[in-house]
Amino acid sequence: MYSEILLDHFRNPRNMGRMEDADGVGKVGNPACGDVMYVYIKVGKNEKGKEYIKDISFETFGCAAAIGTSSMVTELAKGKNFEEAENISKSEVADAVGGLPRRKMHCSLLASDGLKAAIEDYRKKQTEKGE
Amino acid sequence: MKRVYLDYASTTPTDERVVEAMKPYFSEKFGNPTSFYSFAQEAKEAVDKARTEVAGLINAKPDEIIFTSSGTEACNLAVKGTAFRNKNKGKHIIASSVEHFAVLESLKWLEKHGFEITYLPCDKSGIVKPEAIEESIRDDTILISVMHANNEIGTLEPIKEMAEIAEEKDITFFSDACISNGLVDIDVEELGVDLLALSAHKMYGPKGIGALFIAKGTGIEPLIHGGGQERRLRSGTENVPSIVGFGKAADIAKKEMKSYVLGMEILRNYLIEKVLRIESTKLNGHPEKRLPNNANFNFAFIEGEGLILELDFSGISASTGSACSSPTLEPSHVLTSIGLPHEEVHGSLRITLGRETKKEEIDYLIDNLPGTVERLRRISPFKGGFDDYVKGTEWKGGHKHV
């Protein structure tokens, strides 16, 4: 039922693990449904002074689709500026893992939401710092 | 690749002896048992013999056995058939909250047709308390349904006590024994049940054949109408080969149960002992009052579908109560009924042994499991405990994301 790409990301997850000195952490999901994702980002600034995702990692409690899409979204987001990262849609994630069974489509939403939540958390922390 | 099948509660292989017994009834002795001429008598005699064998397994009389197309059909016939027969007497039904979907979905359907259902809670080990039945009985209660053993966690229910209460109040008592047939001695006389559902493929018989025991004097309305086969309770030309196979499987189970169950239980206990050594692992169900082949574990901080998939990569077939693995994305109603919190209900693993399960197969699982659980826990954000994100929020079901 899963594609080879998804199974590969499930078995060999990329960028997996907690990031202790993360600049932003996104926590999404609902343990009642059996999927929770934490996304950690380290933020850098490019030559134009624009913020981008310098490093990223994840931890996921969930099924193979949740784990596989989590891994994929970190790959898609790495090195991207915020605007680009926030534009990664659930269908982009789903396509990147070679498609998902219909009832697992929400897992790709979890992954793109997790990334957005991490960026949001970073911005919130920056605002707090500024105050 | 090595293949280790440990999902015998899902289905069993058909015993070679059963296959042999069935063979002549496809192309050679293919007659319709209802036909009058002598050629068809062979088929009729075979069906009669099978009926006697199935009855023998549960100490019933042959004319108390009705063959159906499955255990599910037997459950439907028991629940809906009783409801419709007694609808002028009352509209209230009592059932355990841990029944199989064959019963639960039949009840849901009856609710749409004006029946009222009271679902009985169970304790942490899955046992329904007979007192709860007493408290739920109303003047218009027409049926009580409690399964003989639970298909997920294997808990054996105190059927005799509950059936006694039903008997006193003159209420029909039904028990679904599809998962326990062939594993536990079932004596309908001693249990005092009015209706009991059986399934052949759970006990080394063929798929597509089940039976309903209907005690003499128990009124039931048929669901399938037609030529009036099976004492007018289940029309349709008899599935002769499968009925013959069911009979043979019942005969084998009756003769051999004592010996194979003992070995199964020893191996299952060995498995439980070893698996519980894995950190943050619990056994779901009752420590003793459970089916001899069932072990149901809960691994905290991980989700069961990934676990099943990982085991599958190693050639091991097992099942889980996780929401992600179910077509409805709902977690197991049995595991929520025994009070597992929402964050734990997804990490279950059901291992069910068969007659031919060998120690080396169990050892293969024991060798693979700790590493698999460990790998998934490394991916999980919850290490050794659930954090504030999980504990501080009032979670509800449904796939909504924060």
Side-chain angles (χ1 to χ4, degrees), chain B residues 98 122-131 146-162 179-180 183-184 261 265 268-269 272 283-296 334 338:
Chain B
V98 291
C122 59
D123 68 12
K124 281 192 154 119
S125 62
I127 291 180
V128 178
K129 293 270 176 266
E131 304 89 81
V146 180
M147 69 207 316
H148 188 256
N150 186 270
N151 51 305
E152 289 186 41
I153 57 176
T155 303
L156 293 160
E157 299 291 352
I159 298 301
K160 195 181 170 185
E161 285 95 309
M162 295 193 266
I179 201 70
S180 45
L183 288 168
V184 184
V261 159
E265 207 162 9
R268 192 275 315 269
N269 292 345
I272 291 177
L283 179 72
N284 291 323
H286 197 279
E288 289 106 35
K289 290 176 191 161
R290 72 187 304 143
L291 290 173
N293 73 332
N294 172 295
N296 190 307
V334 175
I338 62 170

Side-chain angles (χ1 to χ4, degrees), chain A residues 2 7 10-11 13 16 18 27-34 36 38 59-64 103-104 106 110, chain B residues 301-303 305-306 309-310 313 324 326 329 342 346 375 378-381 383 387 389 395-396 398-399 401:
Chain A
Y2 290 130
L7 288 176
F10 166 63
R11 301 203 77 185
M16 189 269 290
R18 191 160 298 182
K27 298 183 175 184
V28 291
N30 178 341
C33 309
V36 174
Y38 288 9
E59 289 180 306
T60 292
F61 164 85
C63 63
R103 63 191 186 87
K104 296 285 185 180
H106 67 274
L110 183 78
Chain B
F301 321 126
I302 59 170
E303 193 279 330
E305 191 227 63
L309 197 59
E310 278 283 308
F313 287 137
C324 290
S326 85
L329 293 174
H342 49 70
H346 302 284
R375 193 183 91 75
R378 269 204 307 275
I379 303 173
S380 171
K383 320 274 188 222
D387 62 9
Y389 177 74
W395 296 106
K396 289 193 180 73
H399 277 76
H401 297 290

